[in-house]
């Protein structure tokens, strides 16, 4: 096979290619950087070398189709089986008499199910391929299979681009997958949302001004210019419309102008006009040289006019495959002609559904389709889709991609990236991410700040709950005295106050969970490192924690009459801050593993209750049974609790039991004062010391000993609390690493 | 106006009628019972007097139309304005610098908005009238206006049935309103669901066998015979399909075969086949002699074929009104002919939307429609809809309804009801509900039991959380000794244990909230009394609470080593049960006022924390500041806590401080035992008593005094706890009374 690049420098390039292929095979496939490298080679052949980034987007269609690099995606005999796991429910665990509901028993069928059965097809750039079928027919599964979102071992069959098997890593670079849900930061404007996407996905070598240009071009292309400065919005904040939101979601995923675009029901939930606008945008994207493949529920007549190829699925089988125009002939020949004026796809779907409900099922239609496909092939004598004549005949896939990049696709960053790789051709240290970790953290933090600054009510609610609890505690424990009773109350105050820090952190659960879904989508295509997210998450939350800490400390410290002066107050602030920090880290970690808010909240509340139980307040350390002592040391509440106790009772000059107060917590406490003085006298004599009514009998240190708070200094407690925070952040990071595989088994 | 009834017994009946009208005017309008009364009068005129209930449902259409009682619903110049309230958000409360988001400021526009603007139209029995338009066009508002779901003062214009203004109470009896959401008990089968609806809505005079027949006929009519024995299902349990679910929802509301049926987007979220099936069912209902009015988003071609009248709305204005067949001519004359093969309604909606986006808006179309309507009227010279020739000419509305009932409509219960009212013509004590309160409670309880028995995992989770907490407490506080330290730990155990009872109740919040929506729908049409629901709710939850109480009590009582023997254990069980009872009542009450689960959970957790703070454990009653003492008495946790303390410490023979233990909680506690003995000796001498090392110094009673637990006996505490439960149930009842008005202002 004669390569054009080979004609240029036969020996050298060929050799280089095999070298490169070796190095590639060691990392198993190619990356964007390697693709970019090839750009410089192909670029020389390109007609308009200096084509600015994405000028092509706004060109005329016909003109465009002629000039873009040709791509053909084909898939053969895709088959995907899943074993239906037997769900173990609670009812299996308890013995019970047989009830009269056989339908419940029915649902448990241990078996394998074929979700895709020998699905084949092909499509090319400039076209939209739509997958249709009832829910459960395998629409989404087929899209997932093509988008490489099914684990390798499970899917049988081949997906090829320009005749070459697609490597997973290449696919990640040249494709985009648009999910059904619009997961967007509600308080960012459309423009900001897309700009952040540009910063994450476009190479750092691309100057900011060019990124801005790209965003503006995209806004134009998506037809959302009027909404550009409007916030996305949510239930509480009016924002853009559903159709606009969907287009923004698509915009985020096509910011880098992918060659392959997959969409799962991009029009679901939209009215017909919005749906049409969305598909029109997709058509424009296809015509800029991309392959668009999507599932669609019920395309309207106008939408149908934009689609080039249809695949109808029924229970994993293809029941029709062809152009919208061939639908009437197909069904007429099958024996069920489509009536005049009837929506074709609607009719087809209804027919399929009827067949599914009938005794024979859709087998007849499946067989007819097979015959029809063969017949069509024979009668047309049409060879399978091949790249049409183009300025670049016989390119390998890699070269085609590189050529496409050189023409502005995948927003390569043009000159700089291409040149740098060309000059340093042998050093192939290619980053998997567009930006350095610092820029990622900065950008993520900026976005998160922007989003939360625009909804101050969220912080307001948290501040209010902290201040209100502070106020209640301050007034209930108003200026506690230094008597033995007062000591007991101080302990209660500290236990309650420290738990409050942790409980108020739970209120942030829904926010974290919401963000987690955005995170999963973004990291699915390597928008940024998971670690960057973990860092920025911690950084962004910190300033508000400082504010909350000072607010609570100031409300309670002097009102309750805590000890230590300015330094005591400072430490009190610090330990509260540390509690907030480790509490929010704990909640963040939990938000990484729980599936939904309610469960998360229940778990947080339960675990915090146990933490409190084992903190040392309800039962002293030295009285906790040995088999539970591990839980005592795991209790997050223990450390702040001990820290504030030490902060309070460390003053050696302060006295908590003086003279006759010695009898306060004993049965003798009820005696009159004169009697107690005499008793004190006799005790004093027995002990051979002089204990007057003003002698201090218990200092803070004694109380600490009584409470078993002796193992750690207050600074160590602070350190451990802070360390717990870091520990949970690390756990959160590992959760994110493990939890966002984003692939079917 | 000559009445047919008058011809039968001119004087008597006429007199009776005016009498009746007087009594009606005092209750403002007529009830089902009064309508039923008339049946006996009209029945005499009917051709087939003994027509069995709903035989007519399965008859042929044409035949049917001829024989049913004619009804015409007309509405004139309906206008509805709402004042847009200025939403006060948190951001208004805090001073802040101007940000660059003008779109947020825009959302606040204090103004009135016209949701309906002079809408007129008419429709008759046998027909489906569909209201179309983009979201926000006023579709649902028009349906609400016709269904009398807008408060009287706000809506201008008239809604008339057979030329008579519809009274709200009459409407409630003869109509049904099907909401968009399918709110069904997930674990009941289709048949059970409809049977419960029959028991709630059909008169008690109707024997159960007839109710069963009605349900079977309805299942047939709805086309869900195959699914009859399948459970409804939810996320965790596989059940019937979305289309079937929707049909069951409709079935519930038409169990009594209403004359007027309103539906808000009955096909939303359904695929085209399911949507068609649903509308086909509606057509069948219409043809049985009902008027069907619904809003619809985007009817398919086939669905359009079933609709008789269309009203297109745009921002509260009528832009088209007429039959589906007249659409092409209308738009052709307007100057935008509908292209061949295009879905007509889709085209129309898109055109309207385009106009809405244009400078002039839809004003042109609105004006054109007005002219077109006038033109049509003139050219046709067609009088407005009047009841066609029928066996019952010139009936008043009341007579028409009565005649309709006699023909099986509104499932009157036929003979028995009619005869009983005819014989006792003067005693018009007519119940607003189909059943007595006892039958309601029984039926509600039966349904609730059935539903929860089929998902034992919900109870399992609660039981597990109670038993696990019990186990942890039992092992942590394993056989507490009777030393002063032990006393302190006992207090901690009781405080923690009693709070646990309340916290675990919060886990039932989501279940209650889910049920609340079903309740709101059902009471909207007087399916049962609100009080019945409150009672049955309490009754159903009780047995599981008993089980939970005994489980927790048995886990902890002997393990911790609590006092009181069998009687003590019994009381311990009782007070735990009382805690569960008042806790679940409290949570039930909250579920009646909070809008969603998360908020409810947060509030429950916070309030319970404050209850615990003020219970007397953290700070004794006599030490709580005066300004907070009210909260102490409001604290739900206080009473169970004091009750268990008294149960534990009431034994006068039990000793908690003996001999030298007197020094345990004092600075002298650290001295060696010999020294303490000598001290005890000298104290003893000083006091002039003999305190040996075995003398009891503190009994339980002393501890109760120390803790300030002296005001109430343990039985009074139990009583108050139980009373709190009833109090919150009563509050819940009032919430339901106030909260489910179900009308727009």
């Amino acid at each position: 096979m004669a390569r054009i690049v080979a004609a240029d420098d036969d020996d050298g390039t060929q050799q280089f290619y095999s070298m490169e292929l070796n190095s590639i095979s060691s990392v198993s496939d190619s990356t964007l950087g390697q693709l970019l490298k090839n750009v410089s080679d192909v670029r020389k052949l390109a007609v308009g070398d200096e084509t600015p980034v994405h000028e092509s987007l706004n060109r005329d269609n016909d003109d465009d189709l002629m000039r873009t690099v040709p791509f053909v995606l084909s898939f053969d005999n895709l088959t995907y089986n899943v074993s239906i796991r037997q769900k173990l429910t609670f009812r299996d665990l308890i013995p019970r008499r047989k009830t009269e509901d056989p339908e419940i028993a029915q649902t448990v069928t241990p078996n394998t199910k074929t979700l895709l059965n020998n699905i084949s097809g092909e499509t090319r750039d400039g076209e939209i391929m739509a997958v249709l079928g009832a829910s459960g027919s395998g629409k989404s599964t087929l899209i997932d299979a093509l988008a490489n979102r099914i684990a390798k071992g499970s899917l049988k069959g081949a997906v090829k681009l320009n005749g070459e098997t697609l490597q997973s890593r290449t696919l990640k670079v040249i494709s985009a997958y648009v999910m059904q849900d619009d997961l967007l930061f509600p308080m960012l404007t459309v423009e900001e949302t897309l700009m952040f996407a540009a910063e994450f996905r476009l190479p750092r070598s691309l100057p900011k001004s060019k990124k801005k240009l790209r965003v503006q071009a995209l806004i134009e292309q998506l037809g959302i210019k009027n909404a550009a400065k409007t916030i996305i919005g949510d239930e509480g904040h009016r924002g853009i419309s559903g159709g606009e939101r969907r287009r923004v979601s698509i915009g985020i995923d096509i910011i880098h102008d992918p060659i392959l675009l997959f969409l799962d029901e991009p029009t679901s939930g939209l009215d017909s006009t919005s749906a049409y606008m969305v598909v029109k945008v997709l058509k424009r994207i296809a015509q800029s040289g991309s392959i668009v493949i999507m599932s669609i529920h019920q395309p309207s007549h106008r939408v149908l006019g934009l689609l080039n190829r249809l695949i109808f699925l029924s229970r994993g089988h293809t029941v029709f495959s062809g152009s919208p125009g061939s639908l009437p002939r197909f069904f007429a020949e099958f024996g069920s002609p489509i009536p005049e004026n009837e929506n074709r796809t609607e009719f087809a779907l209804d027919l399929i559904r009827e067949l599914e409900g009938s005794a024979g099922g859709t087998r007849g239609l499946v067989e007819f389709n097979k015959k029809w496909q063969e017949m069509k092939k024979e009668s047309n004598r049409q060879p399978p889709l091949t790249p049409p004549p183009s300025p670049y005949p016989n390119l390998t896939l890699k070269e085609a991609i590189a050529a496409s990049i050189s023409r502005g696709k995948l927003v390569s960053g043009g000159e700089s990236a291409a040149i740098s790789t060309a000059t340093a051709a042998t050093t192939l240290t290619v980053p998997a991410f567009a930006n350095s970790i610092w820029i990622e953290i900065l950008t993520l933090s900026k976005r998160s700040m922007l989003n939360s600054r625009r909804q101050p009510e969220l912080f307001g609610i948290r501040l209010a709950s902290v201040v209100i609890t502070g106020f209640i505690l301050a007034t209930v424990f108003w200026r506690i005295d230094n008597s033995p009773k007062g000591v007991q109350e101080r302990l209660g105050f500290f236990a309650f106050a420290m738990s409050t820090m942790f409980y108020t952190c739970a209120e942030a659960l829904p926010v974290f969970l919401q963000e987690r879904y955005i995170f999963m989508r973004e990291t699915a295509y390597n928008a940024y490192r998971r670690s960057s997210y973990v860092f920025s998450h911690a950084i962004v939350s910190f300033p508000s924690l400082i504010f909350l800490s000072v607010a609570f400390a100031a409300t309670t410290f002097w009102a309750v009459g805590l000890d230590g002066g300015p330094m005591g107050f400072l430490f009190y602030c610090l330990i509260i801050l540390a509690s907030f920090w480790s509490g929010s880290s704990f909640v963040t970690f939990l938000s990484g593993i729980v599936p939904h808010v309610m469960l998360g909240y229940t778990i947080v509340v339960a675990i915090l209750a146990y933490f409190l139980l084992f903190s040392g307040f309800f039962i002293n350390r030295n009285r906790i049974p040995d088999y539970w002592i591990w839980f005592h040391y795991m209790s997050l509440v223990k450390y702040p609790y001990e820290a504030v106790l030490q902060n309070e009772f460390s003053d050696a000059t302060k006295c908590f039991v003086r003279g006759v107060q010695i009898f306060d917590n004993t049965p003798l406490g009820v005696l009159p004062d004169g009697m107690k003085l005499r008793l004190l006298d006799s005790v004093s004599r027995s002990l051979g010391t002089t204990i007057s009514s003003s002698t201090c009998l218990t200092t803070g240190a004694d109380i600490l000993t009584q409470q078993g708070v002796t193992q750690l200094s207050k600074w160590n407690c602070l350190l451990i609390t802070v360390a717990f925070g870091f520990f949970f952040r690390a756990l959160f990071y590992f959760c994110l690493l493990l939890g966002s595989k984003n692939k079917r088994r």
Side-chain angles (χ1 to χ4, degrees), chain A:
Chain A
M1 189 171 139
R3 285 184 194 158
I4 288 190
V5 281
D8 196 36
D9 179 3
D10 205 336
D11 271 50
T13 318
Q14 281 291 29
Q15 209 179 333
F16 165 73
Y17 262 99
S18 48
M19 251 177 62
E20 195 198 356
L21 282 171
N22 282 339
S23 75
I24 288 167
S25 65
S26 68
V27 294
S28 98
D29 40 30
S30 52
T31 63
L32 177 58
Q34 288 160 348
L35 294 171
L36 286 175
K37 221 210 69 39
N38 299 334
V39 172
S40 56
D41 305 326
V42 184
R43 185 174 290 269
K44 296 163 193 161
L45 309 166
V47 190
D49 198 359
E50 296 296 299
T51 318
V53 178
H54 288 274
E55 197 205 279
S56 61
L57 288 183
N58 302 320
R59 279 195 213 133
D60 249 13
N61 307 340
D62 302 38
D63 188 40
D64 227 351
L65 273 174
M66 286 305 296
R67 299 183 60 190
T68 51
V69 186
F71 287 104
V72 173
L73 182 83
S74 62
F75 44 99
D76 291 301
N77 303 317
L78 292 183
T79 300
Y80 177 45
N81 298 308
V82 285
S83 58
I84 299 160
R85 241 180 303 175
Q86 195 160 352
K87 214 174 154 193
L88 192 72
T89 62
F90 181 76
R91 45 174 46 238
D92 299 325
L93 298 174
I94 51 163
R96 65 196 178 89
R97 60 197 163 78
K98 297 247 179 268
T99 53
E100 67 293 84
D101 26 26
E103 64 286 342
I104 293 168
Q106 263 182 22
T107 58
V108 185
T109 43
N111 232 316
T112 62
K113 198 181 168 186
T114 302
L115 295 188
L116 295 179
N117 196 324
N118 265 317
I119 311 287
S120 303
E122 53 184 2
T123 181
R124 49 158 300 147
D125 59 288
E127 293 187 342
I128 300 182
M129 173 184 263
V131 185
L132 294 97
S135 49
S137 60
K139 285 199 302 287
S140 304
T141 314
L142 180 56
I143 303 281
D144 281 353
L146 296 176
N148 191 33
R149 285 162 58 89
I150 295 179
K152 236 167 205 162
S154 311
L155 183 73
K156 286 176 194 72
V159 181
K160 287 179 179 174
L161 188 61
N162 286 8
E164 293 183 31
T165 303
L166 258 176
Q167 298 296 338
S168 145
R169 204 156 171 187
T170 313
L171 185 68
K172 206 168 195 177
V173 170
I174 63 166
S175 76
Y177 180 94
V178 181
M179 286 193 256
Q180 233 188 86
D181 311 293
D182 299 320
L183 297 167
L184 303 164
F185 280 93
M187 301 311 289
L188 300 187
T189 69
V190 168
E191 202 174 22
E192 286 163 352
T193 305
L194 292 174
M195 195 60 209
F196 279 115
E199 286 185 30
F200 287 133
R201 260 220 121 157
L202 302 187
R204 73 184 104 173
S205 55
L206 202 66
K208 191 143 188 172
S209 60
K210 287 225 168 158
K211 286 179 183 166
K212 273 186 183 152
L213 278 177
R214 170 67 186 140
V215 166
Q216 290 311 324
L218 197 58
I219 286 175
E220 195 87 45
Q221 190 186 17
L222 295 169
I224 45 176
K225 210 170 179 180
N226 288 331
K229 303 266 181 217
T230 310
I231 58 161
I232 305 291
D234 57 13
E235 310 85 44
H237 305 87
R238 187 183 295 197
I240 59 178
S241 74
E244 286 164 342
R245 204 171 290 194
R246 179 57 45 85
R247 280 179 272 169
V248 173
S249 288
I250 293 171
I252 286 174
D253 281 321
I254 61 163
I255 190 97
H256 63 310
D257 203 9
I259 291 167
L260 281 166
L261 179 58
F262 303 100
L263 305 102
D264 191 13
E265 303 236 9
T267 59
S268 81
L270 299 182
D271 61 62
S272 77
T273 312
S274 306
Y276 177 65
M277 297 291 280
V278 166
V279 181
K280 221 166 152 183
V281 164
L282 296 178
K283 186 74 179 182
R284 234 177 285 157
I285 293 164
Q287 286 169 344
S288 77
S290 300
I291 298 172
V292 175
I293 300 178
M294 65 176 184
S295 58
I296 190 164
H297 184 64
Q298 196 180 323
S300 69
H301 185 264
R302 288 197 299 171
V303 165
L304 201 61
L306 298 172
L307 308 180
N308 302 89
R309 286 161 196 279
L310 306 180
I311 292 186
F312 280 76
L313 295 182
S314 163
R315 296 180 181 166
H317 290 84
T318 313
V319 284
F320 171 80
S321 165
S323 69
S326 61
L327 268 173
R329 230 188 75 208
F330 178 84
F331 282 101
E333 290 181 18
F334 178 65
S336 308
I338 304 176
E340 276 286 304
N341 276 323
E342 185 108 2
N343 181 314
R344 290 164 187 184
T345 54
E346 199 175 288
F347 173 85
L349 289 170
D350 283 345
L351 181 70
I352 292 164
R353 216 175 138 119
E354 256 167 58
L355 289 174
E356 281 174 358
S358 70
T362 49
R363 215 176 308 147
L365 193 58
V366 172
E367 291 305 317
F368 177 76
N369 177 54
K370 270 183 200 152
K371 267 182 238 153
W372 203 72
Q373 298 295 343
E374 277 164 30
M375 203 177 66
K376 201 173 63 171
K377 233 181 251 171
E378 276 178 29
S379 72
N380 285 14
R381 294 246 171 258
Q382 197 184 289
L385 269 185
T386 46
S390 81
Y392 329 95
N394 297 325
L395 289 184
T396 64
L397 173 59
K398 202 167 289 175
E399 290 157 5
I401 294 172
S404 198
I405 291 172
S406 80
R407 300 203 28 76
K409 270 276 169 193
L410 296 176
V411 194
S412 66
E415 290 70 44
S416 53
I419 291 165
S420 66
T421 46
T423 48
T426 43
T427 58
L428 278 170
T429 50
V430 177
F433 297 91
N435 297 294
S436 72
I437 188 163
W438 303 113
I439 291 180
E440 283 177 10
I441 293 176
L442 191 75
T443 314
L444 280 168
S445 305
K446 225 170 75 186
R447 179 174 69 175
S448 190
M449 289 284 213
L450 200 58
N451 188 55
S452 49
R453 217 189 53 209
R454 293 209 184 129
Q455 36 189 351
E457 63 273 17
L458 288 184
F459 175 70
I461 291 167
R462 243 185 120 184
L463 181 64
S465 75
V466 164
V467 170
I468 288 172
T469 306
F471 171 78
I472 292 177
L473 286 174
T475 46
V476 170
F477 295 100
W478 179 256
R479 304 209 174 270
I480 307 179
D481 56 27
N482 287 337
S483 69
K485 278 258 180 209
V487 169
Q488 205 54 43
E489 283 162 11
R490 249 166 248 262
L491 299 180
F493 165 75
F494 286 129
F496 200 92
M498 291 303 114
S499 317
T500 300
M501 308 300 106
F502 290 93
Y503 276 105
T504 53
C505 288
E507 278 162 39
L509 252 180
V511 184
F512 291 171
L513 272 170
Q514 176 63 24
E515 258 197 56
R516 192 184 64 170
Y517 293 113
I518 299 179
F519 162 86
M520 301 226 313
R521 194 199 59 205
E522 289 175 338
T523 49
Y525 55 71
N526 281 5
Y528 43 77
R529 292 164 187 84
R530 287 167 176 81
S531 50
S532 305
Y533 179 77
V534 173
F535 278 118
S536 96
H537 197 293
I539 291 167
V540 167
S541 67
F542 210 72
S544 67
L545 296 186
I546 297 176
F547 199 85
L548 291 175
S549 312
V550 175
F552 185 83
T555 321
T556 52
F557 191 79
W558 291 285
V560 176
L562 299 186
D563 195 46
M567 285 311 291
F569 178 72
L570 193 68
F571 184 83
Y572 187 60
C573 282
L574 281 179
I575 191 69
I576 289 173
L577 178 59
S579 306
F580 273 129
W581 158 251
S582 63
S584 68
S585 297
F586 175 64
V587 167
T588 306
F589 159 63
L590 263 180
S591 76
I593 48 170
V594 295
H596 55 87
V597 174
M598 255 317 277
L599 185 64
Y601 210 86
T602 312
I603 292 177
V604 169
V605 168
I607 292 184
L608 288 183
Y610 294 137
F611 278 174
L612 179 61
L613 178 63
F614 286 96
S615 66
F617 168 70
F618 279 95
I619 184 164
N620 285 355
R621 178 167 51 80
N622 43 32
R623 303 266 295 182
I624 293 175
D626 288 344
Y627 45 81
W628 274 124
I629 200 73
W630 58 274
F631 206 120
H632 170 68
Y633 287 105
M634 270 180 57
S635 165
L636 256 178
V637 180
K638 164 193 162 79
Y639 303 96
Y641 175 66
E642 294 196 354
V644 283
L645 282 193
Q646 297 197 41
N647 197 43
E648 180 67 16
F649 295 113
S650 62
D651 186 355
T653 62
K654 204 150 180 187
C655 190
F656 295 93
V657 180
R658 196 181 289 278
V660 294
Q661 284 183 334
I662 195 169
F663 303 114
D664 270 16
N665 271 345
T666 72
L668 307 172
V670 290
L671 297 173
D673 273 5
M675 183 81 91
K676 279 197 262 188
L677 270 173
R678 263 190 291 143
L679 275 183
L680 189 66
D681 210 40
S682 75
V683 167
S684 164
R685 262 179 284 119
S686 301
L687 290 173
T689 56
T690 41
I691 307 175
S692 74
S693 65
S694 61
T695 309
C696 183
L697 296 168
T698 302
T699 63
D702 299 323
I703 287 168
L704 292 180
T705 313
Q706 276 170 32
Q707 295 300 317
V709 182
T710 48
Q711 290 182 320
L712 295 159
S713 77
K714 71 177 183 181
W715 291 103
N716 280 339
C717 287
L718 181 68
L719 261 178
I720 292 174
T721 309
V722 172
F724 257 114
F726 281 104
F727 171 69
F728 283 118
R729 296 277 166 181
L731 281 186
F732 178 55
Y733 174 67
F734 287 116
C735 281
L736 294 183
L737 269 191
L738 296 171
S740 54
K741 278 277 172 281
N742 235 335
K743 274 200 185 185
R744 304 196 190 192
R745 296 276 126 221

